[in-house]
Amino acid sequence: MSRADLDKDPHEVAAMFDGVAAGYDRANSFMTFGFDRRWRTTTSRVLDARPGEKVLDLAAGTGVSTSEYARSGAWCLAADFSLGMLRSGKHRGVPMVAADALRLPFADDSFDAATISFGIRNFVDTKEALVEILRVVRPGGRLVILEASTPPFPPIRFLYRKFLLRAMTLLGRFTSTNPEAYAYLAESMAAWPDQRRLAETIAAAGWRSVEWLNLTFGVVAIHRAIKPPLD
């Protein structure tokens, strides 16, 4: 398979993730120097899932984030459009479903919260996906997004763009059976909007009380928002 380009053709992106599924979690931990675990822990705290709640974890991959959230006692569902990713995560023991974020197979107001970790930048239409997620979350429900972002401090931003993203591509050659996939992921991170622009897109999709928290100098950020309650 040729490398998926930044047009994010859904079939190419899904095939790309199918191809790297077996070693994806291991490669991510290696390339982030273990920070991925810390980021998931912080995201879980921001999500604040509670027993009895229903949480939709979109672009969940192998369900590593889903299993983290499920420790709260909430019912957490892993959804992804890569069957290879879902199959690789069967051992985690969380419910899983194949789903396209732009056409979710759920009724209106089905979930108390929805979350996405390092997946929203792979959606073909970010705003359309956010509108669709809004539909399946109940009024007053929560949205939490963990994603690569833009370091606000210029020297850190320079190092991130010039060295860290290139290093990610190089490391992918040694840790993955599909190094071209990691070249795509690095490119998609470089092209992704900064914190404020993503917040504006979230608000334009109908979410309210949008805010963000920078992690690791802003290399990644958590965005949180609320679906407007009924009048």
Side-chain angles (χ1 to χ4, degrees):
M1 186 198 74
S2 62
R3 189 175 83 205
D5 61 23
L6 295 183
D7 290 334
K8 304 174 190 174
D9 176 86
H11 300 291
E12 276 204 332
V13 174
M16 179 191 72
F17 280 108
D18 286 345
V20 300
Y24 186 75
D25 294 329
R26 182 179 63 254
N28 274 355
S29 291
F30 183 76
M31 289 186 292
T32 62
F33 306 100
F35 275 95
D36 60 319
R37 299 185 185 93
R38 300 185 188 182
W39 296 333
R40 283 197 303 272
T41 298
T42 303
T43 303
S44 182
R45 292 173 182 164
V46 172
L47 179 63
D48 192 25
R50 300 161 192 171
E53 288 192 322
K54 294 181 180 179
V55 176
L56 173 62
D57 188 14
L58 270 172
T62 65
V64 63
S65 55
T66 319
S67 59
E68 174 87 20
Y69 308 145
R71 293 174 188 166
S72 66
W75 184 82
C76 300
L77 175 66
D80 201 287
F81 67 175
S82 167
L83 291 176
M85 283 287 195
L86 296 174
R87 292 189 185 106
S88 292
K90 287 191 299 183
H91 65 283
R92 299 195 188 280
V94 295
M96 294 181 165
V97 64
D100 181 347
L102 274 64
R103 292 176 292 275
L104 293 172
F106 310 115
D108 296 355
D109 308 332
S110 296
F111 295 92
D112 298 287
T115 181
I116 312 165
S117 295
F118 299 114
I120 191 171
R121 73 179 187 276
N122 297 313
F123 295 165
V124 67
D125 189 318
T126 303
K127 183 179 177 182
E128 184 179 344
L130 289 166
V131 170
E132 177 67 351
I133 298 166
L134 184 78
R135 178 185 67 79
V136 302
V137 172
R138 66 167 175 80
R142 312 181 298 284
L143 171 70
V144 175
I145 298 171
L146 171 66
E147 188 52 86
S149 201
T150 304
F153 187 49
I156 299 294
R157 185 165 63 245
F158 175 81
L159 290 172
Y160 173 66
R161 290 177 173 171
K162 295 296 183 180
F163 298 104
L164 291 181
L165 291 180
R166 293 180 183 178
M168 179 180 178
T169 302
L170 291 173
L171 288 171
R173 294 178 181 175
F174 297 101
T175 60
S176 172
T177 56
N178 185 355
E180 291 296 308
Y182 283 89
Y184 158 78
L185 292 173
E187 290 175 14
S188 69
M189 290 164 66
W192 186 245
D194 64 16
Q195 293 88 322
R196 182 171 296 278
R197 284 197 293 154
L198 178 57
E200 290 170 350
T201 301
I202 295 170
W207 296 89
R208 296 293 177 264
S209 303
V210 184
E211 53 189 350
W212 69 83
L213 171 68
N214 287 328
L215 303 178
T216 317
F217 305 106
V219 169
V220 301
I222 297 174
H223 283 69
R224 179 172 62 184
I226 302 295
K227 179 173 178 175
L230 295 173
D231 294 333

